[in-house]
Amino acid sequence: MTYKRFILFWLIASAALMAMGQQASFSLIQPRNVIEGRNFSLTFRLADGEANPPAAPQLDGCTLLYGPSTSTMQSTQIVNGRMTSSYSVDFTFMYRADKAGTVKVPEVSVSSNGQTLRSRAATFQILPGDSNAQGQGGAGQSARPAVSPDDPSTQTPGNISASDLLVRVSFSKSSVYEQEPVVATIKVYTKYDISSFMVTTQPAFEGFLCEELPVTLETSMEHYNGQNYHTAVLKRLLLYPQKAGALSVNSGKYDVTIVQYEQVNMGFFRTARPVEREVTTSSNAATLQVKALPEPRPAGFSGAVGRFSVSTALEPELMRTNEASVYSYIVKGTGNIKYLSDPDVQFPAGIDTYTPKNDINAVVTAGGTNMSGTFRTDFTIVPQEVGNFTIEGTPFVYFDLESHKYETINVPDMPIRVLRGNSAAAAPQQTAIDHKIEDILHIKPTELAKQNTELSYTYNKTFYWLLYVLVVLVFIGVVFVYRRQIRLDADVAGRKLAKAGSVATKRLKSARAEMQAGHTDAFYQSLAKALWGYISDKLNIAPSQLTRENVAGKLEAYGLSAEQTKGVLEVLDECEMARFTPQHSQEEVAGLYDKATAAIKNIEDVKKR
C-alpha cells in the first residue's frame, strides 16, 4: 500500500512541477462573422495558468447577455517515460448582435502567477439581415420562410433558387496593365450545408500565365448582393495577362449535393431529418480589362513589369586564357520575375561564350498578390587572348507600376584583365649529374638499339584498319542516338507520357507521407493532384480540358474497361468531396489511397492498340 501511495504522489508532484515550468498564455479565440439580431459567443482561453475570470469587454453594437461561463480541459501523457501535461480554462461570454458593422474586440487582461497576461485585439463583422424577408414557394405551394444560412429550421425541402447557391469568379482588380499581377478567386456561396461538391468543368483562364495559390478549407459568413451566405474559397490564382483587351474567363460547371432539413413529428416532440438534394450550378463568366503598355516602348524593353534592381558578378575575377569564368547578370525585385527574358550581353572579341544558364528563385509575396525573388543568368566565358578587356554593361528596362513609366537601370561596365594560362611544359634538357650521385645515370642508346632502326608504318598493320572501322561505327551510332534524342525532345506529349508513371509515383509518395502524418486535408489535395496530373500526362489532355466526360471517354478509348473507368472516376469524386466533408476515418483515407494506386496500375497495365 505504501508503494502505491508513493507512485501516486510521484505522478502528482511531477505533473505539478511540469505545470509550474510551463509558460502561461492568455488568448482570444477569433470570433466569426455573425448576422444582425443573432446571439454569439466570445471565448478567451487561459493555458497552463490560473486566474480569476476577466471582466466582460464592451463591444459596440452588441449587448452582453451573460457570462463568463467557464470550462476546463486537462490532459497528461507518458510516452517513453516522458510525461507531458496541459491545462486550459475557457471563459465564454454570450452577446447579442444589435447593429450591423465592424466590431472591435479590445485587449483583455488577467493576472496569473504574479504576472499580467493580455489577449490580442481582434475585429469581426456583424452582417445585415437578408434584404428579402418574404417566403419562398411556387404556384400551388405554400410559402416557406426565407432560407437563412445559420438557421436549419428555415432550410426545409423545396426548390433551390439561383440566389441560394452560386459559384462566383472574381478578380482583385477591375483593370490592369499587361503583365501586371491580378488575383482571381473562385468562391462558393451557399445557404445550405454541402455534403459533396464536384467540378465537372473548370473555368479556363486563356491569355494568362497562372500561378496557383494555396487555399484553406475554412468557411466564413459573408454578406453578398443583399444576402448572407456561408462561403468557401475553391481556388485562388495569381494571373499575369499576356495581351491587351478584354480577357474573359468562361463559366465552370459544378455538381453539388446540398442538405435540407425535413421537420418530423415524433409525437411529443419534433425533430429535423437531413434530406440530400443534387443540383447543378455554373459560375459566372468574368471579364478583366487589360491595358496595353504605353507606346513607344524603349529599346531594350523585353516585358519586365514591376520594380527591380540589377547587379553583376564575375567568378573568378582574375581570368586566364583557356580557363572558364562565369559572368552573372542578377535581377532582383517584385513583379513578373519568373517570366523575364535573358539579357543581351555583348562580350568583347577574343572571349568565347556558351549558352547562358538561368537560375530562378521566385516566391509569392505575403497576401498572394505578386511574386518576388531573383532571376539570375550565368554566362560561361573562356578568354583566348591576353590583355585588358571591358564587358559593357547591359541596361535593364522595366515598366514601373507605381509611376506608370518605363525605368532604365544602367549597369556599369566591368573591366577585366586576362593573364596567360598554364601551358604544356617544354621538354627538359639533359644536364650534368652531380658526381656524388652514383645510382642515377644518363640514358644512352646501346649498340643493339642502333641496329634496330628499320621503319615500321602503323597503317600496314591489321589492328589499324579494325580500329578505323570501329571509330566509323561509333560515329554512326552517335549520330543515330543524337537524332533520336532530337525527335524525343520535340515530342513533348511523348515525354510526358513516358514519365507519367514515375511522376505519379513521386506524388503518391507525397500523399502517403501526408496520410501517415495525419494531415488529412493535405493528403486529399496531394492525392487529387497526383491522379489529375497522371491522367493529363498519360492521356495527353490539357489541364483546362480535364472534365469527367473527357476523362471517361479518353480512358475507354485508351483500353480501360467500364468498371475500371468507373473506379478512376470514383477516386476523383471522393477527392473533390473531401473538401466539404473533412471528417474521415483512417481506414477511409487508407482505402482511398489503395484505390488511387490500383487505378493508376490499371491504366499502366493497358497496352494501347
Side-chain angles (χ1 to χ4, degrees), residues 125-382:
Q125 298 289 328
I126 297 180
L127 306 177
D130 291 343
S131 58
N132 59 336
Q134 69 273 14
Q136 298 177 356
Q141 297 178 346
S142 60
R144 59 191 179 101
V147 179
S148 178
D150 63 343
D151 187 1
S153 64
T154 65
Q155 301 171 13
T156 55
N159 293 330
I160 301 172
S161 66
S163 62
D164 290 342
L165 173 67
L166 59 118
V167 178
R168 181 169 171 258
V169 180
S170 62
F171 293 104
S172 59
K173 305 173 186 176
S174 59
S175 177
V176 295
Y177 281 102
E178 294 178 64
Q179 299 292 343
E180 180 180 354
V182 60
V183 177
T185 303
I186 305 177
K187 184 183 291 188
V188 59
Y189 294 75
T190 176
K191 292 191 174 185
Y192 298 92
D193 292 337
I194 294 178
S195 63
S196 70
F197 190 95
M198 184 171 56
V199 182
T200 56
T201 303
Q202 285 278 18
F205 293 86
E206 300 292 343
F208 297 92
L209 292 176
C210 304
E211 290 288 333
E212 189 162 349
L213 301 175
V215 296
T216 62
L217 298 179
E218 295 181 357
T219 60
S220 62
M221 186 80 71
E222 290 188 22
H223 191 82
Y224 171 71
N225 204 20
Q227 302 290 310
N228 293 305
Y229 296 92
H230 287 300
T231 65
V233 176
L234 303 177
K235 181 177 289 191
R236 293 180 71 239
L237 297 169
L238 182 60
L239 307 177
Y240 290 88
Q242 299 300 296
K243 59 182 179 179
L247 298 185
S248 298
V249 178
N250 65 344
S251 62
K253 291 185 178 180
Y254 309 88
D255 291 339
V256 186
T257 301
I258 59 96
V259 179
Q260 298 177 324
Y261 293 93
E262 181 181 21
Q263 299 297 321
V264 179
N265 191 347
M266 304 297 291
F268 294 100
F269 61 92
R270 296 174 64 86
T271 185
R273 180 177 61 188
V275 178
E276 292 189 346
R277 185 184 185 120
E278 295 182 357
V279 295
T280 299
T281 186
S282 300
S283 61
N284 60 310
T287 301
L288 178 69
Q289 295 296 329
V290 181
K291 298 177 289 186
L293 294 174
E295 297 288 351
R297 301 186 181 186
F301 177 72
S302 58
V305 175
R307 177 161 290 185
F308 306 95
S309 63
V310 180
S311 62
T312 58
L314 181 65
E315 179 65 31
E317 295 182 356
L318 182 60
M319 302 180 64
R320 298 181 183 274
T321 56
N322 299 316
E323 295 182 7
S325 294
V326 176
Y327 177 81
S328 300
Y329 193 96
I330 306 167
V331 181
K332 295 182 180 180
T334 301
N336 58 340
I337 187 77
K338 194 173 182 180
Y339 308 107
L340 299 183
S341 302
D342 293 337
D344 185 16
V345 180
Q346 299 297 322
F347 293 95
I351 296 181
D352 293 342
T353 61
Y354 296 86
T355 302
K357 177 184 177 183
N358 293 328
D359 183 11
I360 304 173
N361 183 14
V363 296
V364 178
T365 59
T369 58
N370 210 335
M371 279 195 300
S372 64
T374 303
F375 186 94
R376 181 189 184 106
T377 306
D378 291 333
F379 297 87
T380 300
I381 57 177
V382 180

Side-chain angles (χ1 to χ4, degrees), residues 407-446:
E407 302 290 345
T408 300
I409 301 176
N410 293 315
V411 179
D413 297 342
M414 178 178 290
I416 58 175
R417 184 183 179 189
V418 179
L419 303 179
R420 187 171 301 281
N422 296 328
S423 58
Q429 296 182 353
Q430 205 173 66
T431 59
I433 297 177
D434 193 338
H435 67 280
K436 296 180 180 180
I437 302 177
E438 298 179 351
D439 59 342
I440 300 178
L441 299 175
H442 290 298
I443 299 175
K444 298 180 180 180
T446 63

Side-chain angles (χ1 to χ4, degrees), residues 1-12:
M1 186 68 178
T2 304
Y3 178 74
K4 293 182 178 179
R5 289 180 178 177
F6 173 77
I7 295 295
L8 180 61
F9 173 78
W10 178 79
L11 291 174
I12 296 175

